[in-house]
């Protein structure tokens, strides 16, 4: 496995591979790999000639009060795990090489950033879209693979790639969960044992609400009230940041579910903010 730090070297390397007619996959990450990241790498490994993984804790997607400094990092361990997945290039640029002090060009998709995580994190998706655009320009991927846990991020990236004619296929892959249903996240390590014991109820609540839709309930207010009640009962250590039923592509809120719907939540424990979601496909309802 080759490790590349310099953006220019990454760009030259990937351009050469593209010119040789190879297909290139990129898995963009912020590191501290868990099974969710490794599953993305395995999928990408099977679908392209060349597998690139970027590991960059992107400062522009953190607000000043957020956990940029504390974000978990372990490059030697990550490098070893990447090697085991058959990664060809691990790209680990420095913040200074990615964002100059007077960085001024940003990528935004405002219509997808009116609700969900963007309410509490208003500059987050601008930072994500901009760094992903830069990573695409540096790695020339044929396809790029993202997890569906960050559904809004995936929607923003898909829209960015479509609207800016980026020659890359965006692949979303299913959420990988712990045995008890908690969605895997690098931030799960922040949870105290008591919080960790309550956190699986995030997913159980989503499943329960999907169950109600399968029995024919379509009123968003009723569904969200039932979810709020369940979360209050099962997760006293958590504060719900949002619970939303939205259109899975455009992310606008739904009052009544008549087609496919996404139920998305963010929950705050003392030191960790966790997100999760569940798709409610149309055919599962009566
Ligand atoms: O999902 C993440 O890990 C990050 O938001 C991403 C896509 C690597 C951009 O920094």
């Amino acid at each position: 496995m080759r490790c590349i730090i310099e953006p220019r070297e990454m760009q030259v390397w990937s351009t050469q591979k593209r010119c040789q007619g190879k297909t290139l996959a990129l898995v963009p990450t912020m590191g501290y790999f868990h099974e969710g990241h490794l599953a993305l790498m395995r999928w990408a490994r099977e679908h392209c000639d060349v597998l690139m993984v970027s590991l960059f804790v992107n400062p522009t997607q953190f607000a000043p009060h957020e956990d940029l400094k504390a974000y978990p990092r372990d490059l030697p361990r990550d490098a070893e795990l990447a090697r085991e997945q058959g990664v060809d290039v691990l790209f680990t640029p420095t913040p200074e090489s990615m964002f100059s002090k007077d960085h001024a060009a940003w990528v935004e998709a405002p219509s997808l950033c009116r609700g969900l995580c963007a309410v509490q994190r208003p500059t987050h998706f601008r930072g994500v879209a901009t760094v992903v655009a830069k990573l695409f320009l540096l790695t020339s991927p044929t396809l790029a693979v993202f997890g569906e846990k960050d559904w809004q991020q995936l929607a923003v990236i898909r829209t960015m790639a479509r609207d800016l004619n980026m020659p890359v296929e965006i692949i979303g892959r299913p959420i990988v969960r712990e045995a008890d249903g908690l969605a895997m996240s690098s931030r799960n390590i922040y949870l105290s044992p008591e919080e960790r014991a309550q956190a699986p109820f995030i997913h159980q609540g989503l499943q329960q609400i999907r169950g109600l839709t399968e029995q024919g309930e379509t009123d968003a207010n009723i569904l969200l009230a039932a979810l709020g009640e369940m979360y209050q009962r099962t997760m006293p250590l958590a504060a719900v940041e949002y619970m939303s039923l939205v259109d899975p592509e455009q992310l606008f809120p739904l009052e009544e579910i008549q087609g496919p719907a996404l139920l998305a939540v963010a929950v705050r424990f003392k030191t960790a903010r966790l997100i999760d979601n569940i798709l409610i496909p149309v055919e599962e309802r009566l």
Side-chain angles (χ1 to χ4, degrees):
M1 184 177 76
R2 186 168 171 153
C3 291
I4 298 184
I5 297 175
E6 280 306 316
R8 182 71 193 137
E9 185 186 343
M10 184 69 250
Q11 203 163 40
V12 169
W13 190 90
S14 63
T15 307
Q16 278 170 354
K17 294 288 171 201
R18 276 303 274 258
C19 291
Q20 289 163 11
K22 306 264 191 227
T23 55
L24 277 64
L26 173 67
V27 180
T29 80
M30 298 208 302
Y32 211 68
F33 297 152
H34 50 68
E35 185 49 36
H37 296 110
L38 305 183
L40 301 181
M41 293 178 206
R42 279 197 291 275
W43 188 92
R45 177 69 284 168
E46 279 176 22
H47 289 82
C48 270
D49 301 325
V50 173
L51 172 54
M52 304 171 292
V53 171
S54 62
L55 192 168
F56 180 60
V57 184
N58 169 30
T60 69
Q61 67 190 72
F62 290 81
H65 63 279
E66 290 181 346
D67 59 341
L68 172 62
K69 272 207 182 118
Y71 196 84
R73 294 162 167 90
D74 190 344
L75 182 56
R77 174 182 162 276
D78 284 349
E80 192 46 44
L81 288 169
R83 196 188 313 273
E84 285 169 14
Q85 303 309 315
V87 170
D88 294 300
V89 167
L90 184 63
F91 177 44
T92 60
T94 61
E96 299 72 32
S97 68
M98 289 293 276
F99 290 100
S100 57
K101 282 208 173 74
D102 57 350
H103 182 92
W106 298 95
V107 180
E108 293 188 77
S111 66
L112 295 171
C113 296
R114 293 193 184 117
L116 305 179
C117 291
V119 174
Q120 289 297 320
R121 308 186 79 192
T123 56
H124 173 70
F125 292 107
R126 180 181 93 149
V128 169
T130 304
V131 83
V132 172
K134 285 168 73 73
L135 290 169
F136 286 175
L137 288 165
L138 293 171
T139 61
S140 316
T142 320
L143 58 86
V145 194
F146 299 84
E148 288 179 346
K149 180 166 74 70
D150 298 285
W151 188 281
Q152 188 172 18
Q153 163 173 290
L154 186 55
V156 167
I157 291 166
R158 277 192 207 287
T159 302
M160 169 185 84
R162 183 200 67 186
D163 292 356
L164 299 182
N165 302 93
M166 295 178 168
V168 53
E169 189 183 349
I170 307 298
I171 309 287
R173 298 290 302 155
I175 299 175
V176 178
R177 299 183 180 280
E178 303 285 355
D180 59 12
L182 176 64
M184 289 201 184
S185 162
S186 304
R187 288 186 169 104
N188 289 350
I189 57 150
Y190 295 152
L191 296 169
S192 70
E194 296 75 24
E195 291 171 332
R196 177 65 188 79
Q198 292 181 15
F201 287 107
I202 300 174
H203 178 55
Q204 285 181 32
L206 297 177
Q207 284 181 307
Q208 201 161 310
I209 299 309
R210 186 160 76 177
L212 290 181
T213 69
E214 284 161 14
Q215 290 162 29
E217 183 56 69
T218 59
D219 185 313
N221 284 331
I222 293 176
L223 293 166
L224 295 175
L227 184 60
E229 189 279 318
M230 190 210 161
Y231 281 170
Q232 237 177 1
R233 196 164 27 83
T234 55
M235 295 191 294
L237 295 175
V240 174
E241 188 180 287
Y242 69 77
M243 300 175 298
S244 301
L245 261 169
V246 296
D247 174 87
E249 283 176 22
Q250 302 300 321
L251 307 185
F252 55 78
L254 300 170
E255 286 180 11
E256 186 84 26
I257 43 180
Q258 287 163 345
L262 182 83
L263 177 55
V265 297
V267 166
R268 263 185 205 282
F269 287 95
K270 199 166 173 199
T271 47
R273 176 184 178 277
L274 305 181
I275 58 172
D276 203 345
N277 66 70
I278 200 165
L279 200 58
I280 302 175
V282 78
E283 59 277 10
E284 290 207 9
R285 291 195 294 279
L286 292 177

